[in-house]
mmCIF file of all heavy atoms in Angstrom:
data_model
loop_
_atom_site.group_PDB
_atom_site.id
_atom_site.type_symbol
_atom_site.label_atom_id
_atom_site.label_comp_id
_atom_site.label_asym_id
_atom_site.label_seq_id
_atom_site.Cartn_x
_atom_site.Cartn_y
_atom_site.Cartn_z
ATOM 1 N N ALA A 1559 93.373 122.334 92.267
ATOM 2 C CA ALA A 1559 94.295 123.404 91.901
ATOM 3 C C ALA A 1559 95.730 122.892 91.808
ATOM 4 O O ALA A 1559 96.483 123.285 90.904
ATOM 5 C CB ALA A 1559 94.203 124.540 92.919
ATOM 6 N N SER A 1560 96.110 121.996 92.718
ATOM 7 C CA SER A 1560 97.495 121.520 92.751
ATOM 8 C C SER A 1560 97.787 120.550 91.616
ATOM 9 O O SER A 1560 98.788 120.683 90.902
ATOM 10 C CB SER A 1560 97.782 120.850 94.094
ATOM 11 O OG SER A 1560 97.580 121.730 95.172
ATOM 12 N N SER A 1561 96.934 119.548 91.447
ATOM 13 C CA SER A 1561 97.223 118.499 90.457
ATOM 14 C C SER A 1561 97.188 119.039 89.034
ATOM 15 O O SER A 1561 98.013 118.654 88.202
ATOM 16 C CB SER A 1561 96.251 117.339 90.610
ATOM 17 O OG SER A 1561 94.918 117.733 90.333
ATOM 18 N N THR A 1562 96.245 119.919 88.731
ATOM 19 C CA THR A 1562 96.209 120.485 87.374
ATOM 20 C C THR A 1562 97.414 121.382 87.115
ATOM 21 O O THR A 1562 97.903 121.447 85.989
ATOM 22 C CB THR A 1562 94.913 121.277 87.138
ATOM 23 O OG1 THR A 1562 94.761 122.280 88.148
ATOM 24 C CG2 THR A 1562 93.701 120.362 87.146
ATOM 25 N N SER A 1563 97.916 122.026 88.165
ATOM 26 C CA SER A 1563 99.113 122.857 87.991
ATOM 27 C C SER A 1563 100.330 121.995 87.686
ATOM 28 O O SER A 1563 101.198 122.381 86.894
ATOM 29 C CB SER A 1563 99.353 123.700 89.247
ATOM 30 O OG SER A 1563 98.295 124.618 89.440
ATOM 31 N N GLY A 1564 100.410 120.808 88.305
ATOM 32 C CA GLY A 1564 101.483 119.884 87.972
ATOM 33 C C GLY A 1564 101.395 119.419 86.533
ATOM 34 O O GLY A 1564 102.419 119.279 85.838
ATOM 35 N N VAL A 1565 100.188 119.173 86.052
ATOM 36 C CA VAL A 1565 99.988 118.791 84.648
ATOM 37 C C VAL A 1565 100.352 119.952 83.725
ATOM 38 O O VAL A 1565 100.955 119.755 82.661
ATOM 39 C CB VAL A 1565 98.537 118.332 84.423
ATOM 40 C CG1 VAL A 1565 98.272 118.064 82.947
ATOM 41 C CG2 VAL A 1565 98.249 117.082 85.255
ATOM 42 N N TYR A 1566 100.009 121.160 84.129
ATOM 43 C CA TYR A 1566 100.398 122.352 83.359
ATOM 44 C C TYR A 1566 101.919 122.389 83.180
ATOM 45 O O TYR A 1566 102.423 122.612 82.066
ATOM 46 C CB TYR A 1566 99.923 123.608 84.088
ATOM 47 C CG TYR A 1566 100.343 124.914 83.448
ATOM 48 C CD1 TYR A 1566 99.470 125.630 82.642
ATOM 49 C CD2 TYR A 1566 101.614 125.458 83.665
ATOM 50 C CE1 TYR A 1566 99.850 126.837 82.051
ATOM 51 C CE2 TYR A 1566 102.006 126.646 83.087
ATOM 52 C CZ TYR A 1566 101.120 127.341 82.288
ATOM 53 O OH TYR A 1566 101.512 128.532 81.712
ATOM 54 N N ALA A 1567 102.650 122.179 84.270
ATOM 55 C CA ALA A 1567 104.116 122.236 84.200
ATOM 56 C C ALA A 1567 104.658 121.175 83.249
ATOM 57 O O ALA A 1567 105.543 121.442 82.421
ATOM 58 C CB ALA A 1567 104.712 122.052 85.597
ATOM 59 N N ALA A 1568 104.133 119.944 83.349
ATOM 60 C CA ALA A 1568 104.603 118.871 82.470
ATOM 61 C C ALA A 1568 104.263 119.168 81.009
ATOM 62 O O ALA A 1568 105.068 118.902 80.105
ATOM 63 C CB ALA A 1568 103.986 117.545 82.908
ATOM 64 N N CYS A 1569 103.081 119.737 80.770
ATOM 65 C CA CYS A 1569 102.682 120.055 79.391
ATOM 66 C C CYS A 1569 103.521 121.191 78.806
ATOM 67 O O CYS A 1569 103.815 121.192 77.600
ATOM 68 C CB CYS A 1569 101.198 120.402 79.338
ATOM 69 S SG CYS A 1569 100.102 118.976 79.502
ATOM 70 N N MET A 1570 103.915 122.143 79.631
ATOM 71 C CA MET A 1570 104.812 123.198 79.142
ATOM 72 C C MET A 1570 106.128 122.586 78.672
ATOM 73 O O MET A 1570 106.693 122.980 77.640
ATOM 74 C CB MET A 1570 105.067 124.225 80.238
ATOM 75 C CG MET A 1570 103.898 125.171 80.486
ATOM 76 S SD MET A 1570 103.509 126.235 79.058
ATOM 77 C CE MET A 1570 104.913 127.343 79.062
ATOM 78 N N LYS A 1571 106.583 121.594 79.403
ATOM 79 C CA LYS A 1571 107.822 120.911 79.029
ATOM 80 C C LYS A 1571 107.628 120.107 77.743
ATOM 81 O O LYS A 1571 108.528 120.047 76.891
ATOM 82 C CB LYS A 1571 108.267 120.003 80.182
ATOM 83 C CG LYS A 1571 109.740 119.636 80.157
ATOM 84 C CD LYS A 1571 110.136 119.024 81.494
ATOM 85 C CE LYS A 1571 111.633 118.772 81.564
ATOM 86 N NZ LYS A 1571 112.033 118.253 82.892
ATOM 87 N N LEU A 1572 106.457 119.487 77.600
ATOM 88 C CA LEU A 1572 106.178 118.730 76.378
ATOM 89 C C LEU A 1572 106.053 119.667 75.180
ATOM 90 O O LEU A 1572 106.508 119.335 74.075
ATOM 91 C CB LEU A 1572 104.903 117.905 76.544
ATOM 92 C CG LEU A 1572 104.514 117.027 75.349
ATOM 93 C CD1 LEU A 1572 105.626 116.037 74.998
ATOM 94 C CD2 LEU A 1572 103.209 116.286 75.634
ATOM 95 N N ARG A 1573 105.468 120.822 75.369
ATOM 96 C CA ARG A 1573 105.384 121.811 74.277
ATOM 97 C C ARG A 1573 106.787 122.181 73.789
ATOM 98 O O ARG A 1573 107.040 122.296 72.587
ATOM 99 C CB ARG A 1573 104.629 123.063 74.766
ATOM 100 C CG ARG A 1573 103.129 122.881 74.893
ATOM 101 C CD ARG A 1573 102.499 123.979 75.728
ATOM 102 N NE ARG A 1573 102.603 125.297 75.107
ATOM 103 C CZ ARG A 1573 101.588 125.929 74.514
ATOM 104 N NH1 ARG A 1573 100.386 125.361 74.451
ATOM 105 N NH2 ARG A 1573 101.757 127.121 73.993
ATOM 106 N N GLU A 1574 107.704 122.367 74.746
ATOM 107 C CA GLU A 1574 109.086 122.685 74.376
ATOM 108 C C GLU A 1574 109.721 121.531 73.602
ATOM 109 O O GLU A 1574 110.427 121.752 72.607
ATOM 110 C CB GLU A 1574 109.903 122.982 75.631
ATOM 111 C CG GLU A 1574 109.501 124.250 76.359
ATOM 112 C CD GLU A 1574 110.263 124.438 77.656
ATOM 113 O OE1 GLU A 1574 111.225 123.658 77.899
ATOM 114 O OE2 GLU A 1574 109.903 125.332 78.441
ATOM 115 N N ALA A 1575 109.463 120.313 74.064
ATOM 116 C CA ALA A 1575 110.046 119.147 73.385
ATOM 117 C C ALA A 1575 109.518 119.014 71.959
ATOM 118 O O ALA A 1575 110.272 118.714 71.020
ATOM 119 C CB ALA A 1575 109.746 117.884 74.183
ATOM 120 N N VAL A 1576 108.228 119.239 71.776
ATOM 121 C CA VAL A 1576 107.636 119.173 70.438
ATOM 122 C C VAL A 1576 108.214 120.268 69.545
ATOM 123 O O VAL A 1576 108.594 120.024 68.383
ATOM 124 C CB VAL A 1576 106.102 119.305 70.526
ATOM 125 C CG1 VAL A 1576 105.492 119.495 69.131
ATOM 126 C CG2 VAL A 1576 105.499 118.090 71.207
ATOM 127 N N ALA A 1577 108.292 121.484 70.087
ATOM 128 C CA ALA A 1577 108.819 122.599 69.300
ATOM 129 C C ALA A 1577 110.270 122.350 68.894
ATOM 130 O O ALA A 1577 110.655 122.596 67.738
ATOM 131 C CB ALA A 1577 108.701 123.895 70.098
ATOM 132 N N ASN A 1578 111.063 121.867 69.820
ATOM 133 C CA ASN A 1578 112.469 121.591 69.498
ATOM 134 C C ASN A 1578 112.594 120.487 68.452
ATOM 135 O O ASN A 1578 113.440 120.557 67.548
ATOM 136 C CB ASN A 1578 113.229 121.200 70.767
ATOM 137 C CG ASN A 1578 113.374 122.363 71.739
ATOM 138 O OD1 ASN A 1578 113.294 123.524 71.334
ATOM 139 N ND2 ASN A 1578 113.582 122.063 73.004
ATOM 140 N N LYS A 1579 111.755 119.478 68.567
ATOM 141 C CA LYS A 1579 111.811 118.357 67.629
ATOM 142 C C LYS A 1579 111.448 118.797 66.211
ATOM 143 O O LYS A 1579 112.023 118.322 65.221
ATOM 144 C CB LYS A 1579 110.844 117.274 68.104
ATOM 145 C CG LYS A 1579 110.984 115.947 67.389
ATOM 146 C CD LYS A 1579 112.076 115.096 67.994
ATOM 147 C CE LYS A 1579 112.065 113.690 67.445
ATOM 148 N NZ LYS A 1579 113.161 112.869 67.980
ATOM 149 N N LEU A 1580 110.493 119.727 66.105
ATOM 150 C CA LEU A 1580 109.996 120.142 64.794
ATOM 151 C C LEU A 1580 110.533 121.506 64.362
ATOM 152 O O LEU A 1580 110.054 122.081 63.377
ATOM 153 C CB LEU A 1580 108.460 120.166 64.815
ATOM 154 C CG LEU A 1580 107.792 118.813 65.117
ATOM 155 C CD1 LEU A 1580 106.287 118.967 65.191
ATOM 156 C CD2 LEU A 1580 108.182 117.774 64.071
ATOM 157 N N ASP A 1581 111.522 122.030 65.121
ATOM 158 C CA ASP A 1581 112.193 123.280 64.758
ATOM 159 C C ASP A 1581 111.239 124.475 64.761
ATOM 160 O O ASP A 1581 111.142 125.244 63.807
ATOM 161 C CB ASP A 1581 112.868 123.150 63.389
ATOM 162 C CG ASP A 1581 113.911 124.259 63.173
ATOM 163 O OD1 ASP A 1581 114.431 124.778 64.188
ATOM 164 O OD2 ASP A 1581 114.180 124.599 62.009
ATOM 165 N N PHE A 1582 110.507 124.641 65.881
ATOM 166 C CA PHE A 1582 109.649 125.806 66.100
ATOM 167 C C PHE A 1582 110.179 126.584 67.307
ATOM 168 O O PHE A 1582 110.889 126.033 68.155
ATOM 169 C CB PHE A 1582 108.209 125.380 66.392
ATOM 170 C CG PHE A 1582 107.405 124.989 65.182
ATOM 171 C CD1 PHE A 1582 107.615 123.771 64.550
ATOM 172 C CD2 PHE A 1582 106.428 125.837 64.677
ATOM 173 C CE1 PHE A 1582 106.869 123.396 63.451
ATOM 174 C CE2 PHE A 1582 105.674 125.472 63.565
ATOM 175 C CZ PHE A 1582 105.895 124.259 62.952
ATOM 176 N N ASP A 1583 109.816 127.846 67.383
ATOM 177 C CA ASP A 1583 110.109 128.656 68.559
ATOM 178 C C ASP A 1583 109.027 128.355 69.598
ATOM 179 O O ASP A 1583 107.861 128.735 69.429
ATOM 180 C CB ASP A 1583 110.104 130.146 68.201
ATOM 181 C CG ASP A 1583 110.521 131.034 69.367
ATOM 182 O OD1 ASP A 1583 110.284 130.644 70.529
ATOM 183 O OD2 ASP A 1583 111.073 132.127 69.117
ATOM 184 N N ALA A 1584 109.401 127.692 70.672
ATOM 185 C CA ALA A 1584 108.425 127.231 71.655
ATOM 186 C C ALA A 1584 107.656 128.377 72.302
ATOM 187 O O ALA A 1584 106.476 128.233 72.626
ATOM 188 C CB ALA A 1584 109.123 126.405 72.733
ATOM 189 N N GLU A 1585 108.297 129.524 72.490
ATOM 190 C CA GLU A 1585 107.636 130.632 73.167
ATOM 191 C C GLU A 1585 106.616 131.324 72.276
ATOM 192 O O GLU A 1585 105.652 131.915 72.766
ATOM 193 C CB GLU A 1585 108.675 131.640 73.660
ATOM 194 C CG GLU A 1585 109.571 131.102 74.774
ATOM 195 C CD GLU A 1585 110.471 132.177 75.351
ATOM 196 O OE1 GLU A 1585 110.355 133.347 74.932
ATOM 197 O OE2 GLU A 1585 111.301 131.847 76.214
ATOM 198 N N LYS A 1586 106.796 131.250 70.974
ATOM 199 C CA LYS A 1586 105.894 131.950 70.057
ATOM 200 C C LYS A 1586 104.862 131.028 69.413
ATOM 201 O O LYS A 1586 103.817 131.492 68.951
ATOM 202 C CB LYS A 1586 106.700 132.645 68.957
ATOM 203 C CG LYS A 1586 107.618 133.744 69.475
ATOM 204 C CD LYS A 1586 108.405 134.389 68.336
ATOM 205 C CE LYS A 1586 109.335 135.485 68.856
ATOM 206 N NZ LYS A 1586 110.128 136.092 67.750
ATOM 207 N N ALA A 1587 105.151 129.749 69.358
ATOM 208 C CA ALA A 1587 104.264 128.817 68.661
ATOM 209 C C ALA A 1587 102.953 128.630 69.411
ATOM 210 O O ALA A 1587 102.875 128.776 70.629
ATOM 211 C CB ALA A 1587 104.967 127.477 68.487
ATOM 212 N N GLN A 1588 101.903 128.308 68.639
ATOM 213 C CA GLN A 1588 100.605 127.981 69.207
ATOM 214 C C GLN A 1588 100.307 126.507 68.967
ATOM 215 O O GLN A 1588 100.783 125.916 67.998
ATOM 216 C CB GLN A 1588 99.508 128.846 68.569
ATOM 217 C CG GLN A 1588 99.648 130.329 68.865
ATOM 218 C CD GLN A 1588 98.508 131.130 68.268
ATOM 219 O OE1 GLN A 1588 97.860 130.698 67.313
ATOM 220 N NE2 GLN A 1588 98.259 132.305 68.821
ATOM 221 N N PHE A 1589 99.513 125.951 69.866
ATOM 222 C CA PHE A 1589 99.106 124.558 69.746
ATOM 223 C C PHE A 1589 97.591 124.532 69.599
ATOM 224 O O PHE A 1589 96.861 124.989 70.486
ATOM 225 C CB PHE A 1589 99.546 123.763 70.975
ATOM 226 C CG PHE A 1589 101.029 123.537 71.049
ATOM 227 C CD1 PHE A 1589 101.910 124.573 71.359
ATOM 228 C CD2 PHE A 1589 101.567 122.281 70.801
ATOM 229 C CE1 PHE A 1589 103.276 124.368 71.423
ATOM 230 C CE2 PHE A 1589 102.939 122.057 70.864
ATOM 231 C CZ PHE A 1589 103.799 123.107 71.166
ATOM 232 N N SER A 1590 97.120 124.027 68.468
ATOM 233 C CA SER A 1590 95.684 124.041 68.191
ATOM 234 C C SER A 1590 95.335 122.948 67.194
ATOM 235 O O SER A 1590 96.102 122.674 66.261
ATOM 236 C CB SER A 1590 95.273 125.416 67.637
ATOM 237 O OG SER A 1590 93.888 125.467 67.382
ATOM 238 N N ASP A 1591 94.175 122.325 67.403
ATOM 239 C CA ASP A 1591 93.657 121.313 66.471
ATOM 240 C C ASP A 1591 94.676 120.202 66.197
ATOM 241 O O ASP A 1591 94.795 119.711 65.060
ATOM 242 C CB ASP A 1591 93.222 121.959 65.155
ATOM 243 C CG ASP A 1591 92.094 122.957 65.364
ATOM 244 O OD1 ASP A 1591 91.210 122.678 66.199
ATOM 245 O OD2 ASP A 1591 92.106 124.014 64.714
ATOM 246 N N GLY A 1592 95.427 119.828 67.225
ATOM 247 C CA GLY A 1592 96.390 118.745 67.076
ATOM 248 C C GLY A 1592 97.641 119.123 66.317
ATOM 249 O O GLY A 1592 98.387 118.239 65.875
ATOM 250 N N ARG A 1593 97.908 120.436 66.200
ATOM 251 C CA ARG A 1593 99.047 120.902 65.427
ATOM 252 C C ARG A 1593 99.820 121.961 66.205
ATOM 253 O O ARG A 1593 99.282 122.610 67.118
ATOM 254 C CB ARG A 1593 98.596 121.493 64.079
ATOM 255 C CG ARG A 1593 97.769 120.537 63.235
ATOM 256 C CD ARG A 1593 97.397 121.125 61.885
ATOM 257 N NE ARG A 1593 98.567 121.234 61.003
ATOM 258 C CZ ARG A 1593 99.052 120.242 60.278
ATOM 259 N NH1 ARG A 1593 98.486 119.043 60.317
ATOM 260 N NH2 ARG A 1593 100.111 120.413 59.508
ATOM 261 N N ILE A 1594 101.090 122.154 65.829
ATOM 262 C CA ILE A 1594 101.883 123.274 66.315
ATOM 263 C C ILE A 1594 101.975 124.269 65.175
ATOM 264 O O ILE A 1594 102.231 123.902 64.021
ATOM 265 C CB ILE A 1594 103.279 122.818 66.801
ATOM 266 C CG1 ILE A 1594 104.088 124.026 67.298
ATOM 267 C CG2 ILE A 1594 104.034 122.033 65.746
ATOM 268 C CD1 ILE A 1594 105.382 123.641 67.999
ATOM 269 N N ILE A 1595 101.732 125.539 65.477
ATOM 270 C CA ILE A 1595 101.565 126.552 64.435
ATOM 271 C C ILE A 1595 102.379 127.787 64.779
ATOM 272 O O ILE A 1595 102.371 128.260 65.924
ATOM 273 C CB ILE A 1595 100.078 126.948 64.299
ATOM 274 C CG1 ILE A 1595 99.202 125.707 64.046
ATOM 275 C CG2 ILE A 1595 99.885 127.979 63.192
ATOM 276 C CD1 ILE A 1595 97.731 125.951 64.263
ATOM 277 N N LEU A 1596 103.064 128.327 63.798
ATOM 278 C CA LEU A 1596 103.763 129.607 63.924
ATOM 279 C C LEU A 1596 103.734 130.288 62.572
ATOM 280 O O LEU A 1596 104.409 129.859 61.630
ATOM 281 C CB LEU A 1596 105.204 129.413 64.396
ATOM 282 C CG LEU A 1596 106.002 130.705 64.645
ATOM 283 C CD1 LEU A 1596 105.313 131.582 65.684
ATOM 284 C CD2 LEU A 1596 107.429 130.389 65.088
ATOM 285 N N GLY A 1597 102.927 131.347 62.483
ATOM 286 C CA GLY A 1597 102.771 132.026 61.197
ATOM 287 C C GLY A 1597 102.170 131.085 60.166
ATOM 288 O O GLY A 1597 101.130 130.461 60.399
ATOM 289 N N ASP A 1598 102.831 130.980 59.010
ATOM 290 C CA ASP A 1598 102.350 130.101 57.943
ATOM 291 C C ASP A 1598 102.834 128.670 58.096
ATOM 292 O O ASP A 1598 102.455 127.787 57.326
ATOM 293 C CB ASP A 1598 102.812 130.634 56.569
ATOM 294 C CG ASP A 1598 102.193 131.983 56.256
ATOM 295 O OD1 ASP A 1598 101.088 132.245 56.776
ATOM 296 O OD2 ASP A 1598 102.817 132.763 55.520
ATOM 297 N N LYS A 1599 103.676 128.446 59.077
ATOM 298 C CA LYS A 1599 104.269 127.115 59.265
ATOM 299 C C LYS A 1599 103.457 126.324 60.289
ATOM 300 O O LYS A 1599 103.080 126.852 61.333
ATOM 301 C CB LYS A 1599 105.706 127.274 59.753
ATOM 302 C CG LYS A 1599 106.461 125.959 59.961
ATOM 303 C CD LYS A 1599 107.869 126.252 60.501
ATOM 304 C CE LYS A 1599 108.625 124.957 60.789
ATOM 305 N NZ LYS A 1599 109.960 125.226 61.392
ATOM 306 N N SER A 1600 103.172 125.060 59.994
ATOM 307 C CA SER A 1600 102.470 124.211 60.955
ATOM 308 C C SER A 1600 102.857 122.759 60.735
ATOM 309 O O SER A 1600 103.335 122.386 59.659
ATOM 310 C CB SER A 1600 100.950 124.375 60.834
ATOM 311 O OG SER A 1600 100.448 123.706 59.706
ATOM 312 N N ALA A 1601 102.654 121.958 61.764
ATOM 313 C CA ALA A 1601 102.940 120.524 61.682
ATOM 314 C C ALA A 1601 102.061 119.799 62.683
ATOM 315 O O ALA A 1601 101.690 120.348 63.731
ATOM 316 C CB ALA A 1601 104.418 120.254 61.974
ATOM 317 N N ALA A 1602 101.704 118.567 62.369
ATOM 318 C CA ALA A 1602 100.924 117.750 63.290
ATOM 319 C C ALA A 1602 101.790 117.350 64.480
ATOM 320 O O ALA A 1602 102.989 117.081 64.330
ATOM 321 C CB ALA A 1602 100.405 116.509 62.579
#
Side-chain angles (χ1 to χ4, degrees):
S1560 301
S1561 64
T1562 55
S1563 296
V1565 174
Y1566 176 99
C1569 286
M1570 285 296 289
K1571 201 167 186 177
L1572 182 58
R1573 285 164 65 105
E1574 293 175 9
V1576 170
N1578 292 337
K1579 191 84 170 177
L1580 299 177
D1581 197 25
F1582 281 75
D1583 185 331
E1585 293 187 3
K1586 296 179 180 179
Q1588 295 183 337
F1589 289 72
S1590 181
D1591 298 322
R1593 304 183 70 82
I1594 180 171
I1595 305 165
L1596 184 58
D1598 296 333
K1599 181 182 177 184
S1600 76

